[in-house]
Amino acid sequence: MKIKKKHWWTLLLVMVLVGSLLAGCGSPAEPAEPAEPAEPAEPAEPAEPAESGDQVVITVAAGAVGQELELTQKAAEMYMDQNPNVLVNVLDTPDLAQDRLGLYLQFFEAQSAEVDVYQIDVIWPGDLAEHFVDLYDFGAADVVDEHFPAIVENNTVDGRLVAIPWFTDAGLLYYRTDLLEKYNFEPPATWDELEEQASVIQEGERAEGNPDFVGFVWQGNAYEGLTCDALEWIASNDGGTIISPEGMITINNANAIEIIDQAAGWVGTISPSGVTGMGEEDSRAVWQGGNAAFMRNWPYAYSLGHADDSAIKGLFDVSPLPAGKSGEGAATLGGWQLAVSRYSNNPEIAAEVALFMAGYDAQKMRAVEGSLNPTIMSLYEDAEVLEASPFFGSLYDVFINAVARPSTATAPNYNAVSTAFFRSVHSVLTGSIDAATAFEELELDLQDITGFDIQ
Amino acid sequence: MSNDKRSGRSELAKREERTAYRLLLPALIILLVIAVYPLGQVFYTSFTNRQFASGQETEFIGFDNYQRLLSVTISQLPPVIDEDTNQPVIDEETGKTVYERPISVLPREPVRYREYKQFSFMGNRYVLGATDVDFIDAITNTLIFTVTSVFLELALGLGVALVVNSNFKGKGVTRTAMLIPWAVITVVSARMWEWMLAPNRTGLFNTMLYTLGLADGRVAFLASGQLQLWAMVAVDVWKTTPFMALLLLAGLQTIPDELYEAAAIDGAGPVKQFFSITFPLLKPAMAVALIFRTLDALRVFDVFQVLLGQSQYSMATYNYFQLIGNRNMGLASAIGVVIFIIIFGFAIAYIKMLGVDMDETA
């Protein structure tokens, strides 16, 4: 009897111990911590503390890729100069989009009033609409016509404007003007040309004593960035957009398979094998150190590359991405919006902050200093903006015609769709499977997730 | 529990027992609130299709989540038959029989099975299919990670503990310095390792290998499938060996010096002393250290999340991905329960194997 009883106590104790160990990772009430705990950044300028009693504090959750954070803080300062009774805090959030989404979701699940304004990705409005106010209720109707209509439409869910466009993005090809001249090349118009040029330059530069030189860097880690890059390859090769806007699964086609297999051939040849672990900032580090001939990246890398501390200042330019079979390059539509939380304690002021930050003056400052593409059309004709980033004018068509990811058609399952896609492409890039097999499987996965028909 | 016969106890003993229970009550309540309640909540949620951060209605769906996670099946792959000759097709290059592809053989209803592994048995070819290959991979990854990292930590930790247990000048400083890796926050040390493991010569390891002429300076430690898991093991061993060493050192300190002196007089050499005195007397401390580390390693999250993200999962990062990424709270809870059961199994196995008597500590 005694032994048995003892056993039960032991069992119970073990169970409770194990249970409390698990509380961190298993309990939905306390979701696991995000990978990079976001630390509230110092307020840009603490206003007079004496007034803090009636001062309204607005917190903006913003990105910190490149110089984003400084620019957001600067925009916050611009607002606070005009509105001394408001203190705008900028909250630094993780670089990788998924991590950022994870952090936001935890605020939403808790219906937290801690963050008032969220910087959200162009693919999120459909999924997150229920947590944001309708900006039309706060005077957005007056300014909305200044912005690109396609993005405004993207941000409108059931007639509600859930986010105001802040900056737009499209994938670009960065190339070294000095090296192309040295090896006598024109900027590549097709992927085949890029492959050839990259390999010639890589070989030449390595022979001349830079063993770290690589031909082409891009975003190959298993994350949303790879969805963007791979979508560009596929769309430029006439392979569709994974899932068509009408809700047909189109990914398993010969053109898509061909270009993904081609891209897998770059890994370890013109691109380092580590490219399958690279995000935007990793590829920019290689590029800006002067160790790559070509880079696929967003416009933000332009002004950073021309900064004084850059090894390639004045030695590079941008062009549209190369074309595949379709004869035209494709650029994935990116970009970020500002949305106001439904759980905010001061939605009016938060909306005012959001609309100010997405307004003409703040967007202009961000375009001039950070080469972040404005969403306000008239800024593309502004002399100061064009002087800082001449490609805004010459590549206007790229920004206008950027290819959207299938986030609207697949809402609210876009994240699952994208994860299945980039993991599938990633397994092809790392060589564990060929594209034909991978996409055959992926097509069925996507059907499971969305319930759509396969074309 | 010193008294065997309840009936024969005095009034005083009974009263004391009641007081003891009353004093235990606050601790019990705290345990109920912080451990049992959330755990029960997880169990309950695992039977629903609840969405995370969403206003959507939640429905009770029974064991569907578990079925989606854990179903496995084995199907035979028939050889491809040539329609003209009625003979199995032989691959001309490799000379091997061509079999049907798993994707066309594995069942798709009511849940779809994906290929996990192919194997041959008695001349036939089979495919092992699973409904959630990622989760099965996550379990395998975690188990491999746990076994190798805990084993290495034990071996290295024992070595370190034996060294710092001996008498030498600067013992105190060494003991403190030893603990530094353990004191660094895992997310921070993971970032540090990310830089050291960078896929080009900005990373320490690539520079070292390149300088020694062992590699081309472009080894992708964190991006290539074969190296990822070993990189994780390396980070964890570096970080947790000090902890292991600390626990073992505490055990070593309890072994009286007289035993060694007596053994030395009897002519036992250092090796004999280690296996006859140190090892057996260290066993209880080792058991505690092993349990701690194994249970901890099984729920590894931070290292995998920071360094590998979505490219390879541990059980806990897969749980996180399903909860946060896919907002699939019901399924994530089911994963939590499965992790719980696995860890529970390990804990029981340890207690049985190492003969730890929980009551003896009292």
Side-chain angles (χ1 to χ4, degrees):
Chain A
M1 263 317 270
K2 183 198 158 201
I3 293 178
K4 200 121 193 227
K5 201 169 162 222
K6 219 167 110 182
H7 251 150
W8 278 111
W9 275 109
T10 314
L11 271 181
L12 188 74
L13 190 66
V14 168
M15 211 163 119
V16 170
L17 275 177
V18 173
S20 46
L21 277 176
L22 258 179
C25 66
S27 153
E30 305 156 277
E33 271 181 69
E36 299 159 79
E39 295 209 345
E42 286 290 306
E45 194 145 290
E48 302 93 290
E51 281 184 14
S52 65
D54 45 0
Q55 200 176 35
V56 179
V57 179
I58 297 291
T59 303
V60 182
V65 174
Q67 38 182 347
E68 263 187 280
L69 190 66
E70 294 95 276
L71 294 173
T72 308
Q73 267 160 357
K74 195 162 176 193
E77 268 172 63
M78 286 164 67
Y79 180 82
M80 286 188 288
D81 284 346
Q82 296 173 19
N83 302 273
N85 58 335
V86 178
L87 177 67
V88 182
N89 276 336
V90 181
L91 184 79
D92 177 359
T93 61
D95 274 0
L96 293 188
Q98 272 111 323
D99 291 344
R100 202 177 292 172
L101 179 64
L103 181 69
Y104 288 1
L105 286 173
Q106 291 174 52
F107 282 121
F108 295 144
E109 172 75 9
Q111 309 206 336
S112 161
E114 207 168 303
V115 176
D116 304 280
V117 180
Y118 289 89
Q119 173 181 344
I120 64 166
D121 200 344
V122 68
I123 49 183
W124 296 346
D127 282 13
L128 301 179
E130 61 176 300
H131 303 290
F132 298 130
V133 301
D134 180 2
L135 289 171
Y136 283 134
D137 295 345
F138 298 94
D142 301 339
V143 292
V144 81
D145 292 338
E146 298 168 9
H147 296 266
F148 284 132
I151 307 177
V152 172
E153 198 194 317
N154 177 71
N155 296 359
T156 307
V157 179
D158 300 330
R160 298 167 62 234
L161 184 69
V162 297
I164 187 86
W166 198 20
F167 62 97
T168 182
D169 258 341
L172 299 175
L173 182 72
Y174 288 74
Y175 61 91
R176 289 279 296 273
T177 43
D178 57 331
L179 292 176
L180 255 56
E181 204 173 305
K182 180 173 164 188
Y183 292 88
N184 226 340
F185 289 127
E186 288 294 306
T190 65
W191 294 112
D192 292 336
E193 277 176 37
L194 177 128
E195 225 175 273
E196 192 208 318
Q197 298 183 5
S199 117
V200 169
I201 299 175
Q202 175 176 300
E203 228 167 90
E205 290 300 299
R206 283 188 188 174
E208 281 180 27
N210 181 0
D212 298 314
F213 197 87
V214 292
F216 181 35
V217 286
W218 35 280
Q219 292 80 47
N221 200 356
Y223 79 118
E224 185 63 32
L226 179 57
T227 298
C228 298
D229 284 33
L231 180 64
E232 282 159 356
W233 307 330
I234 293 174
S236 74
N237 208 39
D238 230 347
T241 57
I242 310 168
I243 289 176
S244 72
E246 298 78 38
M248 290 289 268
I249 298 166
T250 60
I251 184 62
N252 190 11
N253 64 71
N255 290 345
I257 291 167
E258 179 193 63
I259 194 82
I260 296 293
D261 273 333
Q262 184 175 1
W266 300 338
V267 179
T269 57
I270 58 168
S271 302
S273 48
V275 78
T276 53
M278 282 187 184
E280 281 91 356
E281 290 290 77
D282 306 297
S283 39
R284 186 171 70 84
V286 174
W287 160 257
Q288 207 165 307
N291 288 325
F294 298 100
M295 170 176 73
R296 182 270 174 211
N297 214 326
W298 307 99
Y300 84 97
Y302 188 86
S303 62
L304 290 164
H306 281 313
D308 287 333
D309 60 355
S310 162
I312 49 165
K313 185 185 180 189
L315 298 178
F316 73 93
D317 207 347
V318 288
S319 74
L321 284 162
K325 243 182 208 162
S326 75
E328 266 176 52
T332 297
L333 176 70
W336 293 79
Q337 340 293 320
L338 287 174
V340 174
S341 167
R342 249 186 58 199
Y343 317 113
S344 165
N345 291 329
N346 302 292
E348 292 92 11
I349 300 175
E352 203 186 298
V353 171
L355 292 178
F356 173 85
M357 285 190 153
Y360 191 94
D361 294 335
Q363 283 210 8
K364 179 171 171 179
M365 181 274 290
R366 295 167 61 87
V368 171
E369 293 183 24
S371 66
L372 294 171
N373 281 51
T375 58
I376 297 177
M377 288 175 281
S378 53
L379 277 170
Y380 286 84
E381 288 153 16
D382 186 291
E384 279 177 65
V385 171
L386 288 180
E387 198 200 316
S389 305
F391 69 94
F392 279 6
S394 57
L395 298 183
Y396 187 71
D397 287 347
V398 173
F399 300 119
I400 284 287
N401 298 324
V403 183
R405 283 162 275 173
S407 59
T408 320
T410 59
N413 295 316
Y414 174 71
N415 194 56
V417 167
S418 177
T419 307
F421 176 68
F422 68 63
R423 279 180 62 88
S424 174
V425 173
H426 193 258
S427 63
V428 178
L429 296 178
T430 53
S432 49
I433 198 172
D434 63 292
T437 321
F439 282 177
E440 194 177 13
E441 194 80 34
L442 173 67
E443 166 176 79
L444 297 172
D445 285 342
L446 294 181
Q447 194 175 33
D448 283 354
I449 295 167
T450 59
F452 293 159
D453 286 329
I454 292 171
Q455 198 172 49
Chain B
M1 294 263 173
S2 56
N3 206 331
D4 278 12
K5 288 179 188 145
R6 284 166 172 271
S7 54
R9 285 181 310 172
S10 69
E11 194 58 31
L12 182 71
K14 275 186 194 160
R15 225 176 331 134
E16 268 189 347
E17 196 181 87
R18 273 201 297 276
T19 316
Y21 279 128
R22 245 176 264 143
L23 288 173
L24 276 177
L25 204 63
L28 219 69
I29 290 174
I30 291 174
L31 272 183
L32 278 178
V33 172
I34 65 162
V36 180
Y37 169 73
L39 200 62
Q41 188 80 26
V42 176
F43 271 93
Y44 173 74
T45 314
S46 73
F47 295 111
T48 67
N49 64 354
R50 182 155 174 215
Q51 287 255 311
F52 184 65
S54 151
Q56 200 189 304
E57 281 291 303
T58 301
E59 284 166 28
F60 189 81
I61 54 167
F63 280 91
D64 280 10
N65 285 327
Y66 293 94
Q67 202 187 0
R68 223 216 84 181
L69 275 178
L70 295 172
S71 301
V72 284
T73 183
I74 294 180
S75 307
Q76 191 186 339
L77 296 177
V80 179
I81 305 292
D82 194 311
E83 279 173 23
D84 302 328
T85 61
N86 235 352
Q87 288 292 312
V89 181
I90 308 285
D91 192 313
E92 281 173 15
E93 274 177 37
T94 58
K96 285 180 186 153
T97 322
V98 179
Y99 292 98
E100 287 284 350
R101 281 152 9 101
I103 196 167
S104 50
V105 173
L106 287 168
R108 293 186 187 174
E109 293 294 333
V111 262
R112 195 164 74 79
Y113 288 84
R114 294 163 181 79
E115 175 184 356
Y116 182 64
K117 240 188 186 79
Q118 288 189 32
F119 59 93
S120 292
F121 182 69
M122 310 264 284
N124 290 325
R125 190 116 183 112
Y126 295 92
V127 59
L128 179 63
T131 41
D132 196 334
V133 174
D134 289 338
F135 186 53
I136 306 284
D137 275 335
I139 295 178
T140 342
N141 284 345
T142 313
L143 291 181
I144 296 175
F145 169 83
T146 303
V147 171
T148 42
S149 66
V150 173
F151 174 76
L152 289 173
E153 280 157 23
L154 181 70
L156 294 173
L158 189 59
V160 174
L162 286 171
V163 169
V164 295
N165 190 43
S166 57
N167 265 319
F168 61 94
K169 221 177 162 188
K171 189 170 64 174
V173 179
T174 317
R175 282 187 192 171
T176 320
M178 167 191 105
L179 278 174
I180 290 176
W182 173 247
V184 179
I185 301 162
T186 314
V187 175
V188 175
S189 65
R191 273 269 177 269
M192 236 161 66
W193 276 85
E194 190 178 11
W195 292 331
M196 293 198 289
L197 293 167
N200 47 48
R201 287 199 301 152
T202 54
L204 174 75
F205 288 95
N206 267 313
T207 313
M208 263 166 38
L209 291 177
Y210 181 84
T211 317
L212 297 173
L214 295 174
D216 60 358
R218 282 184 289 277
V219 184
F221 294 102
L222 296 174
S224 87
Q226 300 89 10
L227 294 175
Q228 282 174 326
L229 207 52
W230 304 118
M232 296 304 103
V233 171
V235 179
D236 196 67
V237 168
W238 173 82
K239 184 172 169 51
T240 355
T241 299
F243 177 66
M244 194 64 122
L246 192 72
L247 289 177
L248 295 177
L249 181 63
L252 284 176
Q253 304 263 300
T254 62
I255 303 175
D257 283 341
E258 291 81 18
L259 288 177
Y260 292 102
E261 283 162 20
I265 291 167
D266 290 343
V271 178
K272 176 90 179 152
Q273 281 184 17
F274 177 80
F275 283 107
S276 305
I277 303 172
T278 315
F279 196 74
L281 288 178
L282 197 59
K283 229 177 96 181
M286 224 147 47
V288 170
L290 276 178
I291 292 179
F292 261 110
R293 277 307 307 147
T294 310
L295 301 198
D296 225 21
L298 282 170
R299 44 184 204 107
V300 59
F301 174 78
D302 24 27
V303 188
F304 273 77
Q305 181 71 17
V306 174
L307 294 178
L308 299 185
Q310 316 279 328
S311 65
Q312 287 253 21
Y313 297 114
S314 76
M315 294 194 295
T317 59
Y318 189 63
N319 188 350
Y320 175 82
F321 160 69
Q322 285 295 353
L323 176 67
I324 303 290
N326 282 355
R327 302 166 74 180
N328 227 329
M329 193 148 163
L331 188 74
S333 300
I335 297 172
V337 171
V338 174
I339 300 178
F340 171 78
I341 291 169
I342 292 176
I343 296 186
F344 189 60
F346 262 86
I348 296 290
Y350 262 123
I351 287 170
K352 286 254 177 248
M353 252 166 28
L354 297 167
V356 182
D357 194 335
M358 303 287 271
D359 278 345
E360 237 172 46
T361 48

